[in-house]
Amino acid sequence: MTALLLTGSFFLLVGSFGLAKLPDMMRRLHAPTKATTLGIGALLIASMVYFTFAMGMPSFHELMITLFLFITAPVTAHLVAKAYILRHPDLRPHLPDVRASGGWATLGTTTADTRRGDD
């Protein structure tokens, strides 16, 4: 349990440091979605282990919260990153061609393309 607490604290510290120090939004988005999610997950599992042994019965609330975080954090990061790319058209020349890779994103799709069947 101590190892989980230390691991969780380390990842939370690294994620918080990355959020504060990385230069732009796309890099800052990476720190809380990866490191902080792992940190919170480790702390919640440590809490689950502690209350299982202290109370004598397993507690699944923390497990459900951990699963919820592990599912929602990547989806949220994806949506925030996509919104950032859509709001900053100057980034688009640096991105891979959306049509060359089989349409990895809906970034280049407009309603006119959809009507013509260009997708």
Side-chain angles (χ1 to χ4, degrees), residues 103-114:
W104 62 272
T106 56
L107 186 60
T109 304
T110 63
T111 54
D113 291 340
T114 305

Side-chain angles (χ1 to χ4, degrees), residues 13-79:
L13 180 66
V14 169
S16 300
F17 185 75
L19 181 65
K21 289 295 181 180
L22 290 174
D24 59 9
M25 196 290 258
M26 294 299 272
R27 287 182 232 177
R28 268 186 259 141
L29 182 64
H30 190 72
T33 56
K34 303 291 187 276
T36 308
T37 302
L38 285 175
I40 289 293
L43 291 180
L44 286 170
I45 290 173
S47 172
M48 187 175 79
V49 170
Y50 173 77
F51 283 109
T52 297
F53 288 114
M55 301 291 182
M57 54 190 236
S59 172
F60 292 106
H61 297 101
E62 292 90 350
L63 182 63
M64 297 302 288
I65 294 169
T66 303
L67 291 175
F68 180 76
L69 282 173
F70 281 14
I71 292 170
T72 58
V75 172
T76 304
H78 177 77
L79 292 176

Side-chain angles (χ1 to χ4, degrees), residues 95-105:
L95 297 174
D97 185 19
V98 293
R99 295 178 193 274
S101 62
W104 62 272

